[in-house]
Amino acid sequence: MITDNQAVAGETLRELFDAALAAADPSKALERRIPAPVRGRTVVVGAGKASAAMARAFEAAWPGPLEGLVITRYGHAVPCGRIQVVEAGHPVPDAAGQQAAQRILTLARGLGPDDQLVFLASGGGSALLSLPAPQITLADKQAVTRALLRSGATITEINTVRKHLSAIKGGRLAAAAAPARIVTLAISDVPGDDPTVIASGPTVPDPTTFADARSVLVKHRIAEPEAVVTRLAEQADETPKPEDPIFDRARFDLIASPQRSLQVAAAAAERRQIIPIVLSDRIEGEARQVALVHAAIAFQVRAGKFRVGGHLVSPPAVILSGGETTVAVTGAGRGGRNTEFLLALAVALDHTEGIWALACDTDGIDGTEDNAGAIVYPDSLARASARGILAQEALTANDGYGFFAALGDLVVTGPTLTNVNDFRAVLVLD
């Protein structure tokens, strides 16, 4: 049973998460970043879990004629008046995304020097904007995507492969739109906010190569489909590079980021007189290994031995971090990287009093489940054991979702219509 004190701690964690989400709200982030009109047409296209909300915000701020099309994940659409919204599959691409991506490429090819293409980029855009390169089928892309997701590959590695199997990503959309003016407005969901990785950079130069993509498959022991391996080996048409003149009239503008959301969450903690410790917005690695590091820091804070400069940090404090962990799936359970992180954290904390934690994906979807994440309480292991559930067995089975669902501790938000990657908060009280 969760006590009143535990409930207050849980509410505090949810308040910090909500503050992080508000900092990445497309309607607020976009309004001050609208580009100037041009003599010709302005066409708005986009892809990502926030693209529909971004399109609606753009429409509200744009005074003149406007047209376009954006692709978002199923369930993430919002009504727009002048920009069409198409829903498609994520994280594995589907035919709806392929067809919409072809329409976006056609729109770009119809632009001239007096026109401008505005690309709205957000997390999930790479899977949604799926237009296979010649000799590659949608089934090929689906197969290699599933293999990469299960392998534990990082998002940078996955998108390196995607760009070299695509007819639209890795700067190819910019090549289609040139010589029009190109403006990219992006909400980052990737560690380091690298423009070439966000939605696989359709409108920015691509520094990666076919050789880099091959190395990713070799590293993760992926040898199929044959058509994918053949294309990467043939190196038929390299992606546009930074020196290419097609980017002379291209501009990239980052309108929301994981770091900004962590800063806002830290300020919310300070208002509650809780000391924020912001580790990083770009933490990667296996979720259960990242959990061990967070647990070690939480123990140090609880003991009053965590030093920042010349000062020791004592409770109440909260450890904040972002980024994108990975999960090498070996079990048959359900869950995403955030519930995997939390389950490993609970095991590492081992019934320690005074430590709570929340981990959620800011898009509202942890992996492919219906939850954003979950909350760990000091008595999570005890409550699970009382139900005959052993945390270590659940972790071995990659069943973080099942573990926290049984306790009633999932965080369910529904689609948030934004995406600045994972948000983790470990709260240490007296």
Side-chain angles (χ1 to χ4, degrees):
M1 178 178 179
I2 297 176
T3 66
D4 289 343
N5 287 341
Q6 297 222 71
V8 170
E11 290 169 4
T12 298
L13 290 170
R14 281 300 305 266
E15 179 184 320
L16 301 185
F17 180 48
D18 290 342
L21 291 178
D25 183 341
S27 65
K28 298 174 182 176
L30 202 79
E31 60 186 359
R32 294 183 298 275
R33 305 292 184 80
I34 301 297
V38 293
R39 285 191 298 175
R41 301 159 59 203
T42 292
V43 174
V44 175
V45 298
K49 298 170 190 174
S51 65
M54 294 172 77
R56 182 170 62 182
F58 194 98
E59 282 189 345
W62 187 259
L66 194 62
E67 58 187 300
L69 183 154
V70 299
I71 314 170
T72 194
R73 180 179 174 155
Y74 292 114
H76 291 243
V78 297
C80 291
R82 292 171 284 174
I83 301 170
Q84 184 179 356
V85 177
V86 174
E87 292 183 310
H90 178 280
V92 178
D94 67 5
Q98 179 179 354
Q99 293 162 8
Q102 180 61 66
R103 292 174 60 192
I104 286 175
L105 193 65
T106 300
L107 283 170
R109 286 173 174 160
L111 299 178
D114 292 333
D115 304 323
Q116 74 174 339
L117 182 78
V118 179
F119 181 68
L120 306 177
S122 60
S126 188
L128 294 163
L129 194 70
S130 182
L131 187 60
Q135 286 79 55
I136 299 294
T137 67
L138 177 61
D140 293 330
K141 294 202 74 172
Q142 291 170 330
V144 75
T145 297
R146 290 189 183 99
L148 286 164
L149 290 172
R150 292 184 66 86
S151 74
T154 68
I155 188 61
T156 300
E157 291 174 330
I158 292 172
N159 285 359
T160 294
V161 174
R162 283 169 164 166
K163 285 185 282 190
H164 289 87
L165 302 176
S166 175
I168 194 168
K169 295 191 277 280
R172 298 188 192 279
L173 180 60
R181 186 167 79 177
I182 301 167
V183 177
T184 301
L185 302 177
I187 294 178
S188 172
D189 73 321
V190 302
D193 306 328
D194 186 344
T196 72
V197 180
I198 302 170
S200 287
T203 52
V204 299
D206 177 33
T208 69
T209 65
F210 277 100
D212 294 327
R214 290 197 304 274
S215 295
V216 172
L217 296 192
V218 170
K219 175 182 176 181
H220 295 285
R221 300 180 182 179
I222 298 171
E224 295 179 321
E226 183 178 348
V228 167
V229 175
T230 299
R231 173 172 171 79
L232 297 183
E234 289 178 347
Q235 306 184 155
D237 53 338
E238 187 55 90
T239 49
K241 301 307 175 195
E243 64 276 6
D244 198 307
I246 64 172
F247 300 109
D248 288 349
R249 301 186 67 202
R251 173 170 69 86
F252 179 89
D253 192 355
L254 185 67
I255 66 170
S257 69
Q259 180 62 27
R260 172 61 180 160
S261 285
L262 289 177
Q263 290 172 345
V264 171
E270 288 182 317
R271 288 194 293 272
R272 279 183 170 261
Q273 298 184 328
I274 297 170
I275 300 171
I277 303 167
V278 180
L279 296 184
S280 173
D281 68 337
R282 54 191 305 173
I283 291 177
E284 298 181 275
E286 271 288 326
R288 59 183 68 187
Q289 297 301 319
V290 172
L292 293 179
V293 174
H294 281 67
I297 296 171
F299 285 136
Q300 196 82 347
V301 171
R302 190 170 185 274
K305 297 179 179 180
F306 187 81
R307 182 177 294 275
V308 178
H311 304 280
L312 290 172
V313 177
S314 299
V318 63
I319 303 158
L320 300 171
S321 71
E324 183 169 326
T325 61
T326 55
V327 178
V329 180
T330 58
R334 297 172 61 189
R337 57 185 182 261
N338 288 287
T339 51
E340 178 99 353
F341 165 86
L342 288 170
L343 186 51
L345 182 71
V347 170
L349 293 176
D350 191 23
H351 302 85
T352 300
E353 292 295 324
I355 302 176
W356 294 255
L358 173 148
C360 290
D361 195 321
T362 55
D363 65 8
I365 307 296
D366 187 27
T368 58
E369 302 297 343
D370 59 2
N371 65 312
I375 297 179
V376 162
Y377 295 86
D379 66 348
S380 290
L381 295 188
R383 287 189 289 127
S385 181
R387 291 167 171 78
I389 302 169
L390 298 180
Q392 186 58 61
E393 289 183 0
L395 184 60
T396 300
N398 300 118
D399 193 28
Y401 182 96
F403 180 89
F404 291 105
L407 299 182
D409 292 340
L410 293 175
V411 174
V412 180
T413 62
T416 63
L417 307 182
T418 191
N419 188 9
V420 287
N421 225 320
D422 296 340
F423 174 86
R424 292 177 290 269
V426 182
L427 180 64
V428 185
L429 301 181
D430 294 326

Short mmCIF file of all heavy atoms in Angstrom, two decimals, residues 133-137 139-141 143-145 147-148 161-162 164-165 209-236:
data_model
loop_
_atom_site.label_atom_id
_atom_site.label_comp_id
_atom_site.label_asym_id
_atom_site.label_seq_id
_atom_site.Cartn_x
_atom_site.Cartn_y
_atom_site.Cartn_z
N ALA A 133 14.97 3.31 -50.93
CA ALA A 133 15.81 3.58 -52.09
C ALA A 133 15.56 2.51 -53.15
O ALA A 133 14.97 1.46 -52.88
CB ALA A 133 17.28 3.58 -51.66
N PRO A 134 16.02 2.75 -54.39
CA PRO A 134 15.87 1.75 -55.45
C PRO A 134 16.43 0.40 -55.03
O PRO A 134 17.45 0.31 -54.34
CB PRO A 134 16.66 2.35 -56.61
CG PRO A 134 16.59 3.83 -56.38
CD PRO A 134 16.63 4.00 -54.90
N GLN A 135 15.75 -0.66 -55.43
CA GLN A 135 16.10 -2.05 -55.12
C GLN A 135 15.81 -2.45 -53.67
O GLN A 135 16.06 -3.59 -53.28
CB GLN A 135 17.59 -2.37 -55.43
CG GLN A 135 17.91 -2.50 -56.93
CD GLN A 135 18.05 -1.16 -57.60
OE1 GLN A 135 18.83 -0.32 -57.16
NE2 GLN A 135 17.28 -0.94 -58.66
N ILE A 136 15.29 -1.52 -52.87
CA ILE A 136 14.92 -1.84 -51.50
C ILE A 136 13.40 -1.78 -51.37
O ILE A 136 12.78 -0.83 -51.83
CB ILE A 136 15.55 -0.85 -50.50
CG1 ILE A 136 17.07 -0.91 -50.58
CG2 ILE A 136 15.09 -1.14 -49.07
CD1 ILE A 136 17.67 -2.21 -50.14
N THR A 137 12.80 -2.79 -50.77
CA THR A 137 11.35 -2.80 -50.58
C THR A 137 10.99 -2.36 -49.16
O THR A 137 11.85 -2.32 -48.27
CB THR A 137 10.78 -4.21 -50.81
OG1 THR A 137 11.27 -5.08 -49.77
CG2 THR A 137 11.19 -4.75 -52.18
N ALA A 139 9.26 -4.12 -47.17
CA ALA A 139 9.48 -5.30 -46.34
C ALA A 139 10.95 -5.40 -45.89
O ALA A 139 11.24 -5.79 -44.75
CB ALA A 139 9.08 -6.56 -47.09
N ASP A 140 11.87 -5.04 -46.79
CA ASP A 140 13.29 -5.03 -46.42
C ASP A 140 13.55 -4.04 -45.29
O ASP A 140 14.27 -4.35 -44.32
CB ASP A 140 14.15 -4.64 -47.63
CG ASP A 140 14.15 -5.68 -48.74
OD1 ASP A 140 14.00 -6.87 -48.43
OD2 ASP A 140 14.31 -5.27 -49.91
N LYS A 141 12.98 -2.85 -45.40
CA LYS A 141 13.19 -1.83 -44.38
C LYS A 141 12.55 -2.24 -43.06
O LYS A 141 13.11 -1.99 -41.97
CB LYS A 141 12.63 -0.48 -44.84
CG LYS A 141 13.37 0.12 -46.03
CD LYS A 141 13.17 1.61 -46.14
CE LYS A 141 13.96 2.35 -45.08
NZ LYS A 141 13.94 3.82 -45.28
N ALA A 143 12.16 -5.31 -41.98
CA ALA A 143 12.97 -6.39 -41.40
C ALA A 143 14.23 -5.86 -40.74
O ALA A 143 14.57 -6.25 -39.61
CB ALA A 143 13.31 -7.42 -42.48
N VAL A 144 14.94 -4.97 -41.42
CA VAL A 144 16.19 -4.47 -40.84
C VAL A 144 15.90 -3.55 -39.66
O VAL A 144 16.66 -3.51 -38.68
CB VAL A 144 17.05 -3.76 -41.92
CG1 VAL A 144 16.50 -2.39 -42.28
CG2 VAL A 144 18.50 -3.65 -41.45
N THR A 145 14.77 -2.84 -39.69
CA THR A 145 14.39 -2.00 -38.55
C THR A 145 14.14 -2.85 -37.32
O THR A 145 14.62 -2.54 -36.22
CB THR A 145 13.14 -1.16 -38.89
OG1 THR A 145 13.43 -0.28 -39.97
CG2 THR A 145 12.70 -0.35 -37.68
N ALA A 147 15.30 -5.79 -36.66
CA ALA A 147 16.58 -6.36 -36.21
C ALA A 147 17.40 -5.34 -35.44
O ALA A 147 18.00 -5.65 -34.40
CB ALA A 147 17.36 -6.89 -37.41
N LEU A 148 17.46 -4.11 -35.94
CA LEU A 148 18.23 -3.06 -35.27
C LEU A 148 17.63 -2.73 -33.91
O LEU A 148 18.36 -2.53 -32.93
CB LEU A 148 18.28 -1.82 -36.15
CG LEU A 148 19.21 -1.90 -37.37
CD1 LEU A 148 18.89 -0.78 -38.36
CD2 LEU A 148 20.67 -1.82 -36.93
N VAL A 161 22.00 3.71 -40.75
CA VAL A 161 21.55 2.69 -41.70
C VAL A 161 20.35 3.18 -42.48
O VAL A 161 20.29 3.07 -43.72
CB VAL A 161 21.21 1.37 -40.96
CG1 VAL A 161 20.60 0.35 -41.93
CG2 VAL A 161 22.46 0.80 -40.30
N ARG A 162 19.39 3.76 -41.78
CA ARG A 162 18.16 4.22 -42.45
C ARG A 162 18.47 5.21 -43.58
O ARG A 162 17.87 5.15 -44.65
CB ARG A 162 17.24 4.90 -41.42
CG ARG A 162 16.49 3.94 -40.52
CD ARG A 162 15.83 4.70 -39.39
NE ARG A 162 14.82 3.92 -38.71
CZ ARG A 162 14.29 4.25 -37.53
NH1 ARG A 162 14.71 5.36 -36.90
NH2 ARG A 162 13.38 3.51 -36.97
N HIS A 164 20.91 5.43 -45.52
CA HIS A 164 21.52 4.83 -46.71
C HIS A 164 20.63 3.78 -47.36
O HIS A 164 21.04 3.14 -48.33
CB HIS A 164 22.90 4.29 -46.36
CG HIS A 164 23.88 5.40 -46.13
ND1 HIS A 164 24.05 6.01 -44.91
CD2 HIS A 164 24.71 6.05 -46.99
CE1 HIS A 164 24.93 6.98 -45.01
NE2 HIS A 164 25.36 7.03 -46.27
N LEU A 165 19.43 3.66 -46.83
CA LEU A 165 18.41 2.81 -47.46
C LEU A 165 17.22 3.63 -47.91
O LEU A 165 16.18 3.08 -48.27
CB LEU A 165 17.94 1.73 -46.46
CG LEU A 165 19.01 0.80 -45.90
CD1 LEU A 165 18.38 -0.14 -44.87
CD2 LEU A 165 19.69 0.00 -47.01
N THR A 209 28.45 7.61 -44.10
CA THR A 209 28.69 6.97 -45.39
C THR A 209 28.09 5.57 -45.43
O THR A 209 27.68 5.02 -44.41
CB THR A 209 30.20 6.86 -45.66
OG1 THR A 209 30.77 5.97 -44.68
CG2 THR A 209 30.88 8.22 -45.59
N PHE A 210 28.11 4.98 -46.63
CA PHE A 210 27.70 3.60 -46.77
C PHE A 210 28.57 2.69 -45.90
O PHE A 210 28.08 1.72 -45.30
CB PHE A 210 27.80 3.15 -48.23
CG PHE A 210 26.61 3.53 -49.07
CD1 PHE A 210 26.65 4.65 -49.89
CD2 PHE A 210 25.45 2.77 -49.05
CE1 PHE A 210 25.56 5.00 -50.67
CE2 PHE A 210 24.35 3.11 -49.82
CZ PHE A 210 24.40 4.23 -50.63
N ALA A 211 29.85 3.00 -45.83
CA ALA A 211 30.76 2.20 -45.00
C ALA A 211 30.35 2.24 -43.53
O ALA A 211 30.41 1.23 -42.82
CB ALA A 211 32.19 2.69 -45.17
N ASP A 212 29.92 3.43 -43.07
CA ASP A 212 29.45 3.55 -41.69
C ASP A 212 28.22 2.67 -41.47
O ASP A 212 28.09 2.01 -40.42
CB ASP A 212 29.09 5.00 -41.38
CG ASP A 212 30.30 5.92 -41.40
OD1 ASP A 212 31.40 5.48 -41.03
OD2 ASP A 212 30.14 7.09 -41.80
N ALA A 213 27.31 2.68 -42.43
CA ALA A 213 26.09 1.87 -42.30
C ALA A 213 26.42 0.38 -42.27
O ALA A 213 25.85 -0.38 -41.48
CB ALA A 213 25.14 2.18 -43.46
N ARG A 214 27.36 -0.03 -43.12
CA ARG A 214 27.78 -1.44 -43.11
C ARG A 214 28.38 -1.82 -41.76
O ARG A 214 28.14 -2.91 -41.23
CB ARG A 214 28.80 -1.71 -44.23
CG ARG A 214 28.23 -1.66 -45.63
CD ARG A 214 29.18 -2.35 -46.62
NE ARG A 214 30.52 -1.78 -46.62
CZ ARG A 214 30.90 -0.73 -47.34
NH1 ARG A 214 30.01 -0.13 -48.14
NH2 ARG A 214 32.14 -0.28 -47.30
N SER A 215 29.15 -0.92 -41.19
CA SER A 215 29.80 -1.19 -39.90
C SER A 215 28.77 -1.41 -38.79
O SER A 215 28.98 -2.24 -37.89
CB SER A 215 30.72 -0.03 -39.52
OG SER A 215 31.80 0.07 -40.42
N VAL A 216 27.65 -0.68 -38.86
CA VAL A 216 26.60 -0.86 -37.86
C VAL A 216 26.03 -2.27 -37.94
O VAL A 216 25.85 -2.95 -36.91
CB VAL A 216 25.48 0.18 -38.06
CG1 VAL A 216 24.28 -0.13 -37.15
CG2 VAL A 216 25.99 1.59 -37.78
N LEU A 217 25.75 -2.74 -39.15
CA LEU A 217 25.19 -4.09 -39.30
C LEU A 217 26.19 -5.14 -38.85
O LEU A 217 25.82 -6.12 -38.19
CB LEU A 217 24.78 -4.33 -40.75
CG LEU A 217 23.66 -3.45 -41.31
CD1 LEU A 217 23.17 -4.01 -42.65
CD2 LEU A 217 22.50 -3.34 -40.33
N VAL A 218 27.46 -4.95 -39.18
CA VAL A 218 28.49 -5.91 -38.76
C VAL A 218 28.59 -5.93 -37.23
O VAL A 218 28.64 -7.00 -36.60
CB VAL A 218 29.85 -5.55 -39.38
CG1 VAL A 218 30.95 -6.38 -38.76
CG2 VAL A 218 29.81 -5.77 -40.89
N LYS A 219 28.61 -4.76 -36.62
CA LYS A 219 28.73 -4.66 -35.16
C LYS A 219 27.62 -5.42 -34.45
O LYS A 219 27.86 -6.09 -33.44
CB LYS A 219 28.71 -3.19 -34.75
CG LYS A 219 28.69 -2.97 -33.24
CD LYS A 219 28.62 -1.48 -32.91
CE LYS A 219 28.51 -1.26 -31.41
NZ LYS A 219 28.42 0.19 -31.07
N HIS A 220 26.40 -5.33 -34.99
CA HIS A 220 25.25 -5.94 -34.33
C HIS A 220 24.86 -7.27 -34.96
O HIS A 220 23.77 -7.79 -34.70
CB HIS A 220 24.08 -4.96 -34.32
CG HIS A 220 24.36 -3.73 -33.50
ND1 HIS A 220 24.35 -3.74 -32.13
CD2 HIS A 220 24.70 -2.47 -33.87
CE1 HIS A 220 24.65 -2.54 -31.68
NE2 HIS A 220 24.87 -1.74 -32.70
N ARG A 221 25.73 -7.80 -35.81
CA ARG A 221 25.57 -9.13 -36.39
C ARG A 221 24.25 -9.27 -37.14
O ARG A 221 23.52 -10.26 -36.97
CB ARG A 221 25.70 -10.19 -35.30
CG ARG A 221 27.04 -10.15 -34.59
CD ARG A 221 27.14 -11.20 -33.51
NE ARG A 221 28.43 -11.12 -32.81
CZ ARG A 221 28.79 -11.91 -31.81
NH1 ARG A 221 27.96 -12.84 -31.36
NH2 ARG A 221 29.98 -11.78 -31.24
N ILE A 222 23.97 -8.30 -37.97
CA ILE A 222 22.77 -8.32 -38.80
C ILE A 222 23.20 -8.58 -40.24
O ILE A 222 23.94 -7.78 -40.81
CB ILE A 222 21.99 -7.00 -38.68
CG1 ILE A 222 21.52 -6.79 -37.23
CG2 ILE A 222 20.81 -6.97 -39.65
CD1 ILE A 222 20.94 -5.43 -36.96
N ALA A 223 22.78 -9.67 -40.82
CA ALA A 223 23.23 -10.07 -42.16
C ALA A 223 22.09 -10.20 -43.16
O ALA A 223 22.28 -10.66 -44.28
CB ALA A 223 23.97 -11.40 -42.08
N GLU A 224 20.91 -9.78 -42.77
CA GLU A 224 19.74 -9.84 -43.66
C GLU A 224 18.93 -8.56 -43.48
O GLU A 224 19.07 -7.87 -42.47
CB GLU A 224 18.87 -11.05 -43.30
CG GLU A 224 19.53 -12.38 -43.54
CD GLU A 224 18.65 -13.54 -43.16
OE1 GLU A 224 17.94 -13.43 -42.12
OE2 GLU A 224 18.65 -14.54 -43.88
N PRO A 225 18.06 -8.25 -44.46
CA PRO A 225 17.78 -8.93 -45.74
C PRO A 225 18.94 -8.78 -46.75
O PRO A 225 19.73 -7.85 -46.65
CB PRO A 225 16.52 -8.23 -46.25
CG PRO A 225 15.97 -7.49 -45.08
CD PRO A 225 17.13 -7.13 -44.22
N GLU A 226 18.96 -9.68 -47.70
CA GLU A 226 20.03 -9.67 -48.69
C GLU A 226 20.07 -8.38 -49.48
O GLU A 226 21.15 -7.86 -49.80
CB GLU A 226 19.85 -10.86 -49.64
CG GLU A 226 20.97 -11.00 -50.67
CD GLU A 226 20.78 -12.21 -51.56
OE1 GLU A 226 19.93 -13.06 -51.24
OE2 GLU A 226 21.49 -12.29 -52.59
N ALA A 227 18.88 -7.82 -49.82
CA ALA A 227 18.84 -6.59 -50.62
C ALA A 227 19.47 -5.43 -49.87
O ALA A 227 20.12 -4.55 -50.48
CB ALA A 227 17.39 -6.25 -50.98
N VAL A 228 19.32 -5.39 -48.56
CA VAL A 228 19.92 -4.34 -47.75
C VAL A 228 21.43 -4.47 -47.76
O VAL A 228 22.17 -3.49 -47.98
CB VAL A 228 19.38 -4.41 -46.30
CG1 VAL A 228 20.23 -3.56 -45.37
CG2 VAL A 228 17.93 -3.97 -46.26
N VAL A 229 21.93 -5.67 -47.53
CA VAL A 229 23.38 -5.91 -47.53
C VAL A 229 23.97 -5.56 -48.89
O VAL A 229 25.04 -4.93 -48.97
CB VAL A 229 23.67 -7.38 -47.16
CG1 VAL A 229 25.16 -7.67 -47.28
CG2 VAL A 229 23.16 -7.67 -45.76
N THR A 230 23.27 -5.92 -49.96
CA THR A 230 23.76 -5.64 -51.32
C THR A 230 23.83 -4.14 -51.58
O THR A 230 24.82 -3.64 -52.12
CB THR A 230 22.85 -6.32 -52.36
OG1 THR A 230 22.88 -7.73 -52.15
CG2 THR A 230 23.32 -6.00 -53.77
N ARG A 231 22.78 -3.41 -51.21
CA ARG A 231 22.78 -1.96 -51.46
C ARG A 231 23.91 -1.28 -50.71
O ARG A 231 24.62 -0.42 -51.26
CB ARG A 231 21.45 -1.33 -51.05
CG ARG A 231 21.51 0.20 -51.14
CD ARG A 231 20.21 0.89 -50.95
NE ARG A 231 20.41 2.33 -50.84
CZ ARG A 231 20.62 3.17 -51.85
NH1 ARG A 231 20.66 2.70 -53.10
NH2 ARG A 231 20.80 4.45 -51.65
N LEU A 232 24.11 -1.64 -49.47
CA LEU A 232 25.17 -1.00 -48.69
C LEU A 232 26.54 -1.34 -49.25
O LEU A 232 27.47 -0.52 -49.18
CB LEU A 232 25.06 -1.42 -47.23
CG LEU A 232 23.78 -0.99 -46.49
CD1 LEU A 232 23.85 -1.40 -45.03
CD2 LEU A 232 23.54 0.51 -46.61
N ALA A 233 26.68 -2.51 -49.83
CA ALA A 233 27.97 -2.91 -50.41
C ALA A 233 28.23 -2.21 -51.73
O ALA A 233 29.37 -1.83 -52.05
CB ALA A 233 28.01 -4.42 -50.61
N GLU A 234 27.17 -1.97 -52.52
CA GLU A 234 27.34 -1.36 -53.84
C GLU A 234 27.63 0.14 -53.78
O GLU A 234 28.25 0.70 -54.68
CB GLU A 234 26.10 -1.61 -54.69
CG GLU A 234 25.95 -3.07 -55.13
CD GLU A 234 24.69 -3.30 -55.93
OE1 GLU A 234 23.81 -2.41 -55.94
OE2 GLU A 234 24.56 -4.39 -56.53
N GLN A 235 27.16 0.83 -52.70
CA GLN A 235 27.43 2.27 -52.53
C GLN A 235 27.05 3.07 -53.78
O GLN A 235 27.80 3.91 -54.25
CB GLN A 235 28.91 2.51 -52.21
CG GLN A 235 29.43 1.71 -51.04
CD GLN A 235 30.87 2.06 -50.68
OE1 GLN A 235 31.28 1.87 -49.55
NE2 GLN A 235 31.66 2.54 -51.62
N ALA A 236 25.85 2.81 -54.29
CA ALA A 236 25.46 3.35 -55.59
C ALA A 236 25.30 4.87 -55.61
O ALA A 236 25.66 5.52 -56.59
CB ALA A 236 24.16 2.68 -56.05
#
